[in-house]
Amino acid sequence: MSLAALPALLARDLRLAVRHGGESLMPLFFLFAVLILVPLGVGPGPNLLASIAPGMVWVAALLASLLALENLFRPDFEDGTLEQWWLGHLPVTGLVLIRLLSHWLITGLPVIIFAPLAAQMLYLPDQALGVLLLSLLIGTPILSLVGGLAAALTLGTNRGSVLLSILVFPLVVPVLIFATGAVSAAADGFSPRAHLGLLAALLVLALTLVPLAISAALRLNIE
Amino acid sequence: MIPEFEYAIYVWSSYGIFAVVIAWQIVQPVLYRRRLMAELREELALQSGDYNDPNS
Amino acid sequence: MIWKTIKVGFHRLGSPASFYRFSTLVSPWLWAGFALCTAIGIYYALYVVPPDYQQSDSFRILYVHVPSAWQAMAGYVVMSILAAIALIWRIRMTEIMAMMCAPIGAAFTAICLATGSIWGRPMWGTWWEWDARLTSMLVLLFIYLGIMGLYAAFDDRRKGARVACILILVGLVNIPIIHFSVEWWTTLHQGKTIRIFGESSMHYSMMPPLIWMTIAVKLMFGAALLDRSRNELLTQDRRKGWVQKKLKSQGVS
């Protein structure tokens, strides 16, 4: 079995994202829109902003990952490419993982890259910055996995987008809790290891089970 | 008859919520079934030809 | 021999017509049992049991709060088992029953959250606290609502049911989190005081109403599940032969 086609799928997804240009920059714009609106909304006091900074960055990351979910599988579903996934010789879970990886590269990675800037804008204490980046690095893939699952489940419905966010919300609550818990602990000078460990455990759990659930859901939807 | 408690409002409102939600669980299937049966009866009448059109 | 009878009976329940007959027969008895157990339970809970020395009378909320919480979780486990059966063996009746568990489970979760919040007001001095158990229970409510929404969003009921079954199995990870939340994290919500095995830290005089209410709520779950499944079955099969035959033979009642 040749797996050479997997990088090709990744390259195609990324090329499509780049050629859509503005659309793939939306998560970043969104991140900064949230980060600019928050100080204007709650007032620019450094203490208040510092204490809500981890939550704000994380909520922005979550919303950014929600943005691109609607079209994660839908175009392929509508033009029939998705059915080819089952006809080809490649393992479907592998294809699913590749698709999720490209989603993460488009929505998760830009957020991580610009997180230091966001942290500065919200006066996050310097000792918490490393933990924030680490928590984003571990946590945003979970967001992509869970979001991908919701996208796959709602594929056969015609009013997916509202349902999509309702499905994603309860499943990402633990991620949000542990990630912001880690950053807050670090900001207060405690060890963030327990939170980060739990977050990593969630990632492992999601990485093992979610691709299977996604391929089962896609399978049901193309039947 | 009704016992008077120290935290009466809290206790009674809890039992009230319980009663209301459970009652809805009992009533909902009955109402649904009644509506469904009316629809089915209408369809059956339409098929067999003895349907009295209320609008005519 | 007995085993075989049970097995055949179980398989027969998979057929819509037999399930319809079975549920029509059994559900009134479950409702009657529920009414009896609730009457006894509430009588004990409000009249017989003496006030708690620390919480005074407010602990009486326990007798609706705890059984609902247990049933909200037990209902999810039942739903997951049905969903697993539906996905593996593709038995249509279990698909329908799994889907019909969701609104009942959501109702119990809502009762649990509402009564817990009312209980928290005099005891903790707050309506709501973002602690692990309360949050995970709220998440459970949204998972239930998500399952209902997902099922309703599909035009093809069977496809909707199967897709929602996958979501049910994914959401199952929340159940252990709720159960152990009071042990894993130090929270405002009190720890486990009632144990089936070993010593309960609850006084034995407080136990009988809890047992009655728990049984009552279980019977009610079963009764409501049968009623709802029967309705859903009738809606889906309204054009099928067995429904038409039933309608014609017994008139429409």
Side-chain angles (χ1 to χ4, degrees), chain A:
Chain A
M1 192 196 301
S2 146
L3 296 178
L6 291 180
L9 178 67
L10 182 65
R12 169 190 171 270
D13 285 348
L14 293 179
R15 200 174 301 133
L16 276 176
V18 171
R19 294 206 177 143
H20 273 115
E23 205 172 308
S24 38
L25 285 176
M26 283 313 266
L28 264 188
F29 285 133
F30 198 80
L31 176 73
F32 283 103
V34 171
L35 295 181
I36 290 164
L37 282 176
V38 167
L40 298 178
V42 302
N47 290 334
L48 180 63
L49 283 181
S51 65
I52 62 169
M56 286 331 300
V57 174
W58 258 98
V59 168
L62 172 59
L63 294 175
S65 95
L66 271 179
L67 273 182
L69 281 180
E70 180 70 4
N71 286 328
L72 192 58
F73 297 112
R74 196 168 285 278
D76 283 356
F77 174 62
E78 278 164 1
D79 66 14
T81 314
L82 209 55
E83 283 166 40
Q84 304 297 321
W85 284 17
W86 269 268
L87 297 175
H89 63 278
L90 290 165
V92 179
T93 41
L95 293 167
V96 167
L97 274 173
I98 289 292
R99 175 56 56 83
L100 291 175
L101 178 62
S102 65
H103 175 261
W104 180 74
L105 288 175
I106 295 161
T107 63
L109 200 58
V111 173
I112 299 178
I113 292 171
F114 283 91
L117 186 58
Q120 280 306 309
M121 286 166 70
L122 295 173
Y123 309 108
L124 188 76
D126 287 340
Q127 76 260 28
L129 182 61
V131 179
L132 176 70
L133 291 180
L134 199 56
S135 79
L136 283 169
L137 206 58
I138 305 174
T140 45
I142 310 180
L143 297 185
S144 290
L145 283 160
V146 170
L149 177 65
L153 287 171
T154 54
L155 198 56
T157 66
N158 35 23
R159 43 178 190 276
S161 54
V162 180
L163 198 59
L164 198 77
S165 29
I166 294 176
L167 294 186
V168 169
F169 156 68
L171 294 175
V172 298
V173 165
V175 180
L176 217 56
I177 290 175
F178 293 133
T180 53
V183 183
S184 301
D188 296 340
F190 298 111
S191 165
R193 283 190 179 188
H195 288 108
L196 287 177
L198 282 165
L199 202 60
L202 282 179
L203 177 61
V204 172
L205 186 72
L207 210 53
T208 0
L209 295 180
V210 170
L212 295 173
I214 291 180
S215 37
L218 290 176
R219 173 101 222 220
L220 281 176
N221 271 311
I222 60 169
E223 255 174 21

Side-chain angles (χ1 to χ4, degrees), chain C residues 8 30 53 58 67 78 82 103 114 117 122 163 187 198 205 220 229 233 250-251:
Chain C
V8 170
L30 292 179
Y53 89 105
S58 77
V78 169
L82 289 168
S117 161
V163 171
T187 60
S205 71
M220 187 257 149
S229 309
L233 186 63
Q250 61 183 43

Side-chain angles (χ1 to χ4, degrees), chain B residues 1 3 5-7 10-15 17-18 21-22 25-26 28-29 32-33 36-37 39-41 43-44 47, chain C residues 20 31 34 45-47 55-58 60-61 63-64 107 111 118 121-122 220 228 231 234-235 238-239 244 252-253:
Chain B
M1 181 63 203
F5 297 130
E6 206 177 317
Y7 294 99
Y10 300 111
V11 175
W12 287 113
S13 53
S14 297
Y15 279 73
I17 287 171
F18 181 75
V21 176
I22 297 286
Q25 294 299 313
I26 299 173
Q28 195 273 346
Y32 184 90
R33 188 179 165 75
L36 183 67
M37 280 304 177
E39 269 175 41
L40 288 177
R41 206 178 303 138
E43 274 173 23
L44 199 67
Q47 274 172 17
Chain C
Y20 191 89
W31 282 120
F34 159 71
L46 295 183
Y47 287 86
Q55 300 204 3
S56 176
D57 280 315
S58 77
R60 288 175 206 277
I61 295 172
Y63 299 123
V64 289
I111 295 179
I118 292 171
R121 183 65 218 165
M220 187 257 149
R228 278 172 185 270
N231 284 345
L234 211 54
T235 318
R238 55 201 300 173
R239 308 259 184 272
Q244 297 293 327
V252 188
S253 55

